[in-house]
Amino acid sequence: MNVTPPVAHSASSLTASASAAAPAGRRFSLRARVLTGAVAAAALGAGTFGAVSASASAPSAASAAHVASSADTASRNLQQTTHLTVAAATKAAQAVLDAAQRENQRVSVAVVDRNGTTIVSLRGDGAGPQSAGSAEKKAYTAVSWNAPTSELVGRLDQAPTLKDIPGTLFLAGGAPVQLKGAPVAAIGVAGAPSGDLDEKFARAGVAALTR
């Protein structure tokens, strides 16, 4: 908001009017005219600024209320979720490969987000060609049911059709990453001689996220 031009223009007009209205023999001195114009300009400027501020304050408040209302309405249609960063997922995946290497095992690892989308997938040196895909499916399964896949294998006795869900693999080697008990990601490992080893390495990846 810029009120300078109207104030300057009004001051000039008032000064000129005061000079013209005075009789020829009683014209104000230059100093008097300047002082008169300055006082008038200050008074007019204060009045103009106050008027503009008063008129502008109401729309501003209304606009703010409208924006807040719009935000509240939009927030009711949104859902917030927590996801691992790429850096964190990479750290966890590398921790898995390091744990496997210490036991001379060649594995692949996959880290998926809450939606089961792969964030990081690493195939360890010498890991079998099937291991990368299996690791992703184990991670997807673990995050879908928020449980280690070694535990989920037991559920097949009561619900054998679970294994028919696309993208899942009910074999040990998947571990969820939890925040306050809720799944935010999962790590899947495949390629070791047993599922127990795969899951041991997956847990090493989960543990790396707490350090």
Side-chain angles (χ1 to χ4, degrees):
M1 178 176 63
N2 187 351
V3 297
T4 302
V7 171
H9 177 73
S10 298
S12 300
S13 301
L14 287 176
T15 303
S17 298
S19 176
R26 297 166 55 192
R27 291 187 183 278
F28 293 151
S29 66
L30 177 61
R31 177 186 173 95
R33 288 200 302 268
V34 171
L35 290 175
T36 301
V39 172
L44 180 60
T48 304
F49 183 81
V52 173
S53 299
S55 62
S57 61
S60 296
S63 298
H66 174 70
V67 171
S69 176
S70 298
D72 291 341
T73 301
S75 66
R76 289 194 292 269
N77 297 322
L78 300 176
Q79 181 179 12
Q80 295 182 347
T81 58
T82 303
H83 296 266
L84 285 183
T85 64
V86 173
T90 302
K91 175 184 177 181
Q94 188 59 55
V96 168
L97 295 184
D98 292 343
Q101 187 175 25
R102 286 193 292 270
E103 299 194 27
N104 197 30
Q105 298 297 324
R106 299 172 176 84
V107 301
S108 290
V109 55
V111 182
V112 302
D113 65 13
R114 178 62 186 92
N115 300 322
T117 302
T118 302
I119 306 173
V120 173
S121 178
L122 297 177
R123 181 184 174 206
D125 295 336
Q130 83 290 348
S131 61
S134 296
E136 289 192 16
K137 290 180 179 180
K138 290 181 181 182
Y140 180 85
T141 305
V143 78
S144 296
W145 279 273
N146 190 27
T149 50
S150 58
E151 295 181 11
L152 295 174
V153 172
R155 299 186 187 183
L156 292 179
D157 295 335
Q158 291 76 34
T161 55
L162 285 177
K163 67 179 183 299
D164 298 329
I165 297 176
T168 61
L169 183 59
F170 288 82
L171 294 177
V177 177
Q178 299 176 336
L179 178 64
K180 297 180 179 179
V184 295
I187 301 174
V189 181
S194 70
D196 291 341
L197 274 177
D198 285 336
E199 198 156 309
K200 176 183 178 180
F201 302 146
R203 292 181 185 277
V206 175
L209 295 174
T210 63
R211 296 196 293 268

